[in-house]
């Protein structure tokens, strides 16, 4: 009996590796309310979770708010320190939400309930009728609650686990792929204003699998490939690549594909007027990083999973996507586009078009994917089959259509769900 088979707990009840080249996931992992509650505590409560990008709050007082791991938070650029501050979005008086709009700029945040007021550094700076508290009101002890926050190359993460490792250690092999994204843009990265937000009726882990799955592309996205052919894209090179386990549940699908990349692989869709500029970008990448690394950054596509719920699609556009489960069969998704600051207008236009045309909620890929995931969730209700099979490629070096990247996610998930409180 293998070590995996000997383990006990919720995780090991749902993820079985072996005997032989078999890897199975019990379908109740996608339908059980008990599993969902355990995930909120043991997965989302004990990992580093992506909150946002520093470029979203460039100026003092700029802020964004969003839920992370099911908890309301907001991120603000400190007016005095210039630091990226992340606070729990709850008043220290009686608990009401303090930041009540999704983004903006403000020197102070005032709770609408009793008007307690906090500055952008989280300090309590105003209490109506403060004399009613006598001399015992200690403002310094009543500032906003800070979330533990670390940033890697502009990507801001938070955690609710006081004992977790530091962020660079947690990111493990995923750091290299974040570096590819940032270095390909010469370090001058920004989130383009505007987001995609949508939801669907299926389990969040199905979207994890789908986001790094090369096996479904040809069948599920047949319409998109026909669209590319109609526009004159040469599909003869096909889609070839590898999948990798990057440690700590992170994984990547890395491949070459027929479409162009704004940094820095030209194709006719970008227009003749951008050809010279893209060639210059490629030459600059080569000068700075060497020919081999420049080739990787310019020509290879990457679907990167940073466990548990951050997907970076570094493809014909660079999409940053997170998703928050609200029930075993419901997920809310938010996506942003990442781009170089000062990019040529025609390249920015092509990048945004790709962002919407392929990965947008009304694009070619996303509706196909959501239909597939909701269909899976509906199929689980049929019964008669207890396990999903995720064994593809176990007997060979992982290829783009294999499932090693999904197994990396599920192994980490199993460990966390087995953990004792």
């Amino acid at each position: 009996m293998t070590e995996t088979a000997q383990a006990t707990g919720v995780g090991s009840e749902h993820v079985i590796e072996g005997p032989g080249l078999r890897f199975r996931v019990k379908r109740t992992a996608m339908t059980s309310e008990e599993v969902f509650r355990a995930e909120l505590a043991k997965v989302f409560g004990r990992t580093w979770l992506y909150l946002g990008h520093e470029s979203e709050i460039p100026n003092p007082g700029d802020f964004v708010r969003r839920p992370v791991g099911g908890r309301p938070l907001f991120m603000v650029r400190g007016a005095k320190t210039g630091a990226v501050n992340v606070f729990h979005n709850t008043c220290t008086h009686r608990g009401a939400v303090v930041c009540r709009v999704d983004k903006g700029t403000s020197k102070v945040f005032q709770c609408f309930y009793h008007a307690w007021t906090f500055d952008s550094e989280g300090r309590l700076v105003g209490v109506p009728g403060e004399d009613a508290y006598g001399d015992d009101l200690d403002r310094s002890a009543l500032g906003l609650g800070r979330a533990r926050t670390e940033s890697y190359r502009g990507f801001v993460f938070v955690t609710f686990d006081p004992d977790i490792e530091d962020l660079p250690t947690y990111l493990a092999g995923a750091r290299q792929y974040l570096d590819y994204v940032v270095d390909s843009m010469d370090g001058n990265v920004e989130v383009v204003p505007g987001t995609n937000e949508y939801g669907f009726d299926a389990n969040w882990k199905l979207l994890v699998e789908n986001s790094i799955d090369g096996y479904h592309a040809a069948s599920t996205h047949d319409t998109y490939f026909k669209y590319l052919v109609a526009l004159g894209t040469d599909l003869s090179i096909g889609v070839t690549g590898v999948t990798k386990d990057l440690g700590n549940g992170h994984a990547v699908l890395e491949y070459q594909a027929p479409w162009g990349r704004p940094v820095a692989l030209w194709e006719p869709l970008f227009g003749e007027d951008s050809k010279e500029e893209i060639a210059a970008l490629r030459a600059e990448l080569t000068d700075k990083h060497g020919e081999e690394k420049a080739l990787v950054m310019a020509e290879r596509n990457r679907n990167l999973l940073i466990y548990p719920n951050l997907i970076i699609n570094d493809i014909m556009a660079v999409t940053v996507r997170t998703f928050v489960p609200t029930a075993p069969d419901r997920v809310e998704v938010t996506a942003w586009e990442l781009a170089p600051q000062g990019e040529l207008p025609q390249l920015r236009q092509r990048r945004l078009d790709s962002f919407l045309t392929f990965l947008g909620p009304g694009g070619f890929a996303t509706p196909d994917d959501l239909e597939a995931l909701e269909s899976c969730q509906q199929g689980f209700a049929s019964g008669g089959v207890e396990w999903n099979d995720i064994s593809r490629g176990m007997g060979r070096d992982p290829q783009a259509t294999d499932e090693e990247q999904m197994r990396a996610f599920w192994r980490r998930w199993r460990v966390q769900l087995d953990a004792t409180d």
Side-chain angles (χ1 to χ4, degrees):
M1 184 176 292
T2 65
E3 182 180 349
T4 298
Q6 291 174 346
T8 59
V10 174
S12 293
E13 291 173 8
H14 286 84
V15 179
I16 301 294
E17 191 164 359
L21 301 177
R22 295 291 308 283
F23 193 102
R24 295 175 297 152
V25 174
K26 199 171 185 179
R27 291 182 174 182
T28 50
M30 269 71 74
T31 62
S32 165
E33 184 70 33
E34 178 186 2
V35 169
F36 172 66
R37 290 195 301 269
E39 288 173 336
L40 293 181
K42 295 185 175 184
V43 175
F44 291 94
R46 296 179 181 173
T47 54
W48 283 101
L49 301 170
Y50 178 73
L51 169 62
H53 194 270
E54 292 179 6
S55 66
E56 295 181 82
I57 51 169
N59 304 308
D62 288 352
F63 68 88
V64 295
R65 71 162 188 172
R66 54 188 55 127
V68 178
R71 308 188 192 202
L73 304 177
F74 71 100
M75 174 173 69
V76 57
R77 180 77 66 173
K80 292 186 178 296
T81 65
V84 174
N85 299 314
V86 178
F87 299 113
H88 293 274
N89 198 358
T90 178
C91 182
T92 52
H93 176 220
R94 298 270 288 279
V97 166
V98 173
C99 180
R100 292 169 56 82
V101 296
D102 288 340
K103 62 181 299 184
T105 303
S106 181
K107 294 180 180 179
V108 296
F109 299 87
Q110 187 175 84
C111 177
F112 82 104
Y113 195 10
H114 297 95
W116 280 33
T117 305
F118 306 85
D119 68 11
S120 59
E121 307 291 355
R123 294 173 297 200
L124 178 61
V125 295
V127 177
E130 187 172 350
D131 58 334
Y133 292 92
D135 297 328
D136 292 332
L137 186 70
D138 183 359
R139 286 193 184 189
S140 66
L142 291 169
L144 293 172
R146 288 183 178 271
R148 181 179 170 188
T149 307
E150 292 188 29
S151 178
Y152 183 80
R153 305 208 68 178
F155 294 88
V156 179
F157 292 76
V158 299
T159 185
F160 309 117
D161 182 355
D163 300 318
I164 198 171
E165 65 222 317
D166 63 82
L167 179 61
T169 301
Y170 174 80
L171 290 173
R175 292 198 310 272
Q176 178 182 9
Y177 291 89
L178 288 176
D179 290 342
Y180 285 152
V181 171
V182 177
D183 289 341
S184 71
M185 301 180 190
D186 199 26
N188 298 314
V189 178
E190 66 177 355
V191 169
V192 179
T195 60
N196 291 336
E197 296 182 353
Y198 54 94
F200 64 97
D201 295 323
N203 189 266
W204 69 278
K205 299 183 291 299
L206 297 179
L207 182 56
V208 172
E209 293 180 346
N210 170 267
S211 299
I212 50 175
D213 175 19
Y215 191 27
H216 80 286
S219 54
T220 306
H221 302 312
D222 176 67
T223 302
Y224 180 68
F225 287 105
K226 289 177 178 176
Y227 165 76
L228 290 179
V229 170
L231 293 177
T233 302
D234 181 7
L235 299 186
S236 62
I237 69 168
V239 177
T240 59
V242 298
T243 62
K244 298 178 183 178
D245 179 344
L246 301 177
N248 288 340
H250 318 311
V252 68
L253 167 64
E254 187 172 19
Y255 56 100
Q256 289 190 259
W259 49 73
R261 290 166 51 80
V263 180
L265 181 64
W266 183 85
E267 69 165 339
L269 286 176
F270 292 156
E272 288 291 332
D273 57 345
S274 67
K275 194 171 187 178
E276 183 177 340
E277 178 66 19
I278 288 182
L281 291 171
R282 178 63 174 270
E284 186 176 345
L285 285 179
T286 301
D287 288 343
K288 287 188 175 182
H289 304 286
E291 187 171 342
E292 182 177 352
K293 187 176 179 181
L295 184 147
V296 170
M297 290 191 287
E299 297 190 12
R300 292 181 189 165
N301 298 268
R302 285 164 287 276
N303 292 26
L304 173 66
L305 161 68
I306 296 181
Y307 183 93
N309 69 328
L310 170 62
I311 299 292
I312 298 178
N313 290 304
D314 183 5
I315 46 178
M316 73 286 287
V318 182
T319 300
V320 178
R321 182 168 66 189
T322 62
F323 31 95
V324 178
T326 58
D329 58 355
R330 182 68 187 175
V331 186
E332 302 298 330
V333 184
T334 306
W336 304 265
E337 173 64 8
L338 207 63
Q341 295 179 7
E343 185 174 37
L344 279 177
Q346 59 267 36
L347 292 184
R348 178 63 62 90
Q349 172 59 35
R350 187 61 206 160
R351 183 188 298 276
L352 292 177
D353 182 70
S354 296
F355 174 48
L356 295 173
T357 300
F358 187 63
L359 290 169
F364 279 99
T366 299
D368 290 343
D369 289 333
L370 299 190
E371 172 66 19
L373 304 187
E374 290 186 338
S375 180
C376 290
Q377 196 74 28
Q378 292 160 15
F380 298 154
S382 176
V385 179
E386 191 175 8
W387 299 87
N388 282 355
D389 187 275
I390 309 182
S391 305
R392 185 174 173 84
M394 288 187 75
R396 65 183 183 188
D397 291 336
Q399 300 178 12
T401 57
D402 288 340
E403 296 169 342
E404 174 59 23
Q405 69 280 27
M406 299 173 202
R407 293 189 288 271
F409 167 84
W410 280 111
R411 289 179 183 121
R412 179 68 172 178
W413 182 92
R414 178 179 59 197
V415 168
Q416 289 201 291
L417 269 289
D418 279 349
T420 57
D421 294 329

